Amino acid sequence: MTNDTAKILEKLKKQEKEEGKLPLLLEFYKKLLQIQSRAQQRFGTPALALSHETIQKRLQNGRPLLRFNDLDLDWSLVQDVFAGVAAAFAGYPQLFGEIPEKLRKPEGGRLLTKKAAEAWFTGKELPRKIRDGVGENILQAMIQATLQPFLAGYARALIDSVEQESWRRRYCPICGGSPDLSFLEKEHGARWLVCSRCDSEWAFQRLQCPYCGNQDQKTLAFFTDDKELYRLYVCEQCKCYLKAVDLRKSEPEILLPLERFYTLDLDAQAREYGYGPYLKPVAGTEKKP
Ligand SMILES: [Zn+2]
Ligand SMILES: [Zn+2]
């Protein structure tokens, strides 16, 4: 995952060259990636002093490794990135509607206060100052895009401490985010989830809904395309869906974050069947059986 951003940018540039122009959403995504890649470079590799004991204790208790207070961020950099991200969204009203002026102004970056970021990180209601007059989903997406390069930096530093076989929970072992994509790994076809916030990957049961925990096989299903490259997992209990890429069938150099955009047909299909995406950025703590 280290050089994913650079690789994705390269692939998009190649596609743009071949096709003359990128589809609008990918053009937007390319701009976003450029902002995120600059943020990543300025941020560098975070130093996080978590002792071996703390790591073990958090994981054993089912707690993600990163707490908000562990994040050591240069807030003026974060706010700069937020201003850039908001401008990128504002450049595509065809995709996102009109972005309110308070966010389009360069000083709009300051609306993403530490308090607002903490509320987002922990899944609480955002402060009124940033939330008022802005669509909830768009705002969530903007904050997510802003914090992604920072969280992904921490994720790279921490993911090797996670013992995959003993985690297997419905939320990310690094940041606690919920998954928005999955893949079946090459060797045995085991299912792995991908975090919607930091792009960490973790192993998860194939026959369980990662959103509501449902394990009743009669109410879980999946659809595949003709080439069986993609799967659409659906759950009758919570009516949510999850897309999956089958790496046993895909080309070797697949870039998962980009697959989110290459599989928009699947999202449309899921909606047609009456399923929706899971919209909470922070998955709930697992209920005790
Ligand atoms: Zn995460
Ligand atoms: Zn479910």
Side-chain angles (χ1 to χ4, degrees), residues 209 211-214 235 237-239:
C209 171
Y211 298 125
C212 71
N214 178 18
C235 171
Q237 197 154 294
C238 67
K239 286 281 172 190

Side-chain angles (χ1 to χ4, degrees), residues 151 155 171-178 194-202:
L151 294 181
Y171 46 91
C172 171
I174 304 298
C175 80
S178 55
V194 185
C195 179
S196 58
R197 309 204 297 184
C198 73
D199 283 333
S200 287
E201 300 164 356
W202 72 100

